[in-house]
């Protein structure tokens, strides 16, 4: 069953997804939530939840724990492993009130837990508190739905504070601006979405290994990974990009190996087809005191990568030596 949505509420209303296989429970929750001005998405089939969450991007999920084909705990764990859905808070509603049940729920990624029977006022208070606390924490780029600059800053600071060893990659498109100027915003935005999907897939694939991805704006993407994984991740991103990017050029442009556009000086000239450059540094070479120090050297790695004439992964040693 697809998510069912009423449309009489303002599009600025917060969206809450209700996941329960019992129609009576969903109807009751809809009544309670809509009376408070929330927009409600109902989901009956638990096997569709992950896809619907990624499509609708609700502000919060209220989910039953026990469902016939997939439990709320399994769904929570799966959602928290998806980059685009991991920051959406989940409130579990259940009749199980044992301590072990609650602990397990929190370990599987649930953000709050309320036992049946409950007072509607208590549920509403928990929802409001969760939305308040998550408002600042949820930082997603509106185009790709990947974590944004604030989330990236927090992640870098957390890893530096723990003295983690990690690689950080800055992926950037080459010749994107003239492409956007000559081909239009809509097509350029589709290219950004395509790159976001390619990078998000790698984040999801290696989430268990601690990979974090972000879209910090425009055509700039960041991937944080264990030092031994950046090459595999970068190669997969480049492979997917090169398979897909040809769809965004005309047959004539592909045959010429480029497209016509105006330069920054206003002169029309031939630009090569877009490529993607990935500059990389690792924290194994030196200790970084803060994200600013790391960002300066990562910027150098990206600039060095962009001097090459094809899609590439370029590892930069802060001592000044290119190491790959």
């Amino acid at each position: 069953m697809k998510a069912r949505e009423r449309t009489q509420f303002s599009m600025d209303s917060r969206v809450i997804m209700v996941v329960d296989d019992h129609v009576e429970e969903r109807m009751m929750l809809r009544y309670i939530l809509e009376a408070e001005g929330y927009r409600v998405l109902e989901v009956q089939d638990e096997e569709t939840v992950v896809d619907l969450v990624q499509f609708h991007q609700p502000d919060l999920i209220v989910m039953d724990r026990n469902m016939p084909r997939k439990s709320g705990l399994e769904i929570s764990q799966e959602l928290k492993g998806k980059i685009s859905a991991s920051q959406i808070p989940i409130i579990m509603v259940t009749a199980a009130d044992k301590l072990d049940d609650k602990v397990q729920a929190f370990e599987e990624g649930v953000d709050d837990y309320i036992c049946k029977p409950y007072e509607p006022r208590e549920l509403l208070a928990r929802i409001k508190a969760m939305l308040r606390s998550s408002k600042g924490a949820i930082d997603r780029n509106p185009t790709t739905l990947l974590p944004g600059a604030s989330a990236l800053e927090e992640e870098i600071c957390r890893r530096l504070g723990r003295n983690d060893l990690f690689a950080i990659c800055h992926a950037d498109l080459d010749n994107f601006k003239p492409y956007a100027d000559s081909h239009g915003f809509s097509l350029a935005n589709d290219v950004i979405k395509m790159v976001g999907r390619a990078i998000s897939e790698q984040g999801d694939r290696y989430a268990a290994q601690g990979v974090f991805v972000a879209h910090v704006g425009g055509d700039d993407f960041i991937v944080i990974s264990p030092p031994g994984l950046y090459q595999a991740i970068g190669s997969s991103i480049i492979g997917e990009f090169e398979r897909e990017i040809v769809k965004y050029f005309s047959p004539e442009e592909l045959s010429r190996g480029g497209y016509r556009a105006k330069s920054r000086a206003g002169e029309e000239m031939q630009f090569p087809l877009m490529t993607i450059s990935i500059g990389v540094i690792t924290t194994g070479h030196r200790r970084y005191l803060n994200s600013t120090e790391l960002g300066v050297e990562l910027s150098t790695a990206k600039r060095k990568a962009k001097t090459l004439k094809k899609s590439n992964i370029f590892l930069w040693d802060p001592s000044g030596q290119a190491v790959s």
Side-chain angles (χ1 to χ4, degrees):
M1 176 178 178
K2 292 184 178 180
R4 181 162 61 86
E5 180 181 1
R6 292 182 182 173
T7 57
Q8 70 264 36
F9 297 100
S10 165
M11 294 303 291
D12 293 330
S13 299
R14 306 300 287 274
V15 178
I16 297 179
M17 180 176 283
V18 173
V19 182
D20 199 305
D21 59 308
H22 292 103
V23 63
E24 297 85 0
E25 293 286 343
R26 296 198 312 276
M27 289 176 63
M28 181 188 69
L29 283 168
R30 175 183 281 278
Y31 177 81
I32 292 170
L33 296 170
E34 288 187 343
E36 290 294 309
Y38 297 114
R39 295 170 59 220
V40 177
L41 298 169
E42 289 183 42
V43 183
Q44 175 180 340
D45 184 354
E46 66 272 27
E47 293 185 328
T48 67
V49 173
V50 174
D51 288 340
L52 290 172
V53 167
Q54 292 187 289
F55 179 79
H56 289 285
Q57 289 292 310
D59 296 291
L60 183 142
I61 302 166
V62 178
M63 182 160 50
D64 188 30
R65 174 175 176 141
N66 297 316
M67 290 177 282
R69 290 180 294 276
K70 185 181 287 188
S71 75
L73 295 183
E74 292 176 292
I75 296 169
S76 298
Q77 187 178 44
E78 192 171 349
L79 286 171
K80 295 303 181 180
K82 299 288 186 183
I83 294 296
S84 60
S86 61
Q87 294 176 305
I88 300 173
I90 299 170
I91 297 179
M92 187 74 71
V93 180
T94 178
D97 62 353
K98 294 180 181 179
L99 177 60
D100 287 346
D101 293 327
K102 295 178 182 180
V103 170
Q104 182 186 12
F106 289 124
E107 289 176 345
E108 298 296 342
V110 172
D111 298 280
D112 201 358
Y113 192 99
I114 187 167
C115 295
K116 302 175 183 178
Y118 56 83
E119 286 289 333
R121 287 192 305 162
E122 180 185 1
L123 175 63
L124 289 171
R126 288 173 180 266
I127 287 172
K128 289 175 182 177
M130 190 64 63
L131 289 172
R132 281 197 305 269
S133 63
S134 68
K135 186 177 180 181
I138 294 178
D139 170 35
R140 293 193 292 260
N141 184 281
T143 300
T144 60
L145 301 178
L146 292 174
S150 297
L152 174 65
E153 172 80 11
E154 292 178 7
E155 184 67 21
I156 291 174
C157 290
R158 181 161 48 247
R159 297 195 186 210
L160 290 179
R162 297 194 306 243
N163 294 322
D164 288 356
L165 291 179
F166 60 90
I168 182 164
C169 316
H170 188 159
D172 182 67
L173 300 182
D174 306 309
N175 299 309
F176 176 74
K177 187 180 185 305
Y179 177 88
D181 291 342
S182 60
H183 289 70
F185 169 80
S186 180
L187 202 56
N189 204 46
D190 288 344
V191 171
I192 293 298
K193 289 179 180 178
M194 176 271 288
V195 177
R197 288 193 299 271
I199 290 175
S200 183
E201 285 172 4
Q202 295 306 304
D204 291 344
R205 180 181 180 184
Y206 294 106
Q209 284 95 325
V211 169
F212 178 89
V213 303
H215 181 188
V216 294
D219 58 329
D220 292 288
F221 296 84
I222 302 293
V223 179
I224 301 177
S225 77
L229 268 182
Y230 79 86
Q231 188 73 44
I233 291 172
S235 295
S236 294
I237 292 170
I238 288 174
E240 181 67 12
F241 174 83
E242 304 229 320
R243 282 188 293 273
E244 292 294 316
I245 194 60
V246 294
K247 299 176 182 178
Y248 300 90
F249 291 97
S250 69
E252 293 76 18
E253 289 170 331
L254 292 174
S255 66
R256 291 200 309 266
Y259 60 97
R260 302 291 297 179
K262 288 185 178 180
S263 68
R264 291 183 179 180
E267 298 176 354
E268 187 168 300
M269 58 179 290
Q270 176 85 355
F271 286 89
L273 301 178
M274 268 188 287
T275 54
I276 186 167
S277 297
I278 304 176
V280 185
I281 62 171
T282 68
T283 57
H285 296 286
R286 56 161 289 189
R287 176 175 170 79
Y288 294 93
L289 297 177
N290 51 53
S291 60
T292 302
E293 285 188 357
L294 187 148
V296 168
E297 291 182 348
L298 183 61
S299 179
T300 299
K302 185 194 77 168
R303 289 198 305 272
K304 295 288 185 180
K306 288 178 75 68
T307 62
L308 304 179
K309 302 301 181 183
K310 61 181 181 178
S311 296
N312 70 95
I313 308 162
F314 187 91
L315 179 63
W316 175 252
D317 182 340
S319 68
Q321 300 298 316
V323 293
S324 77

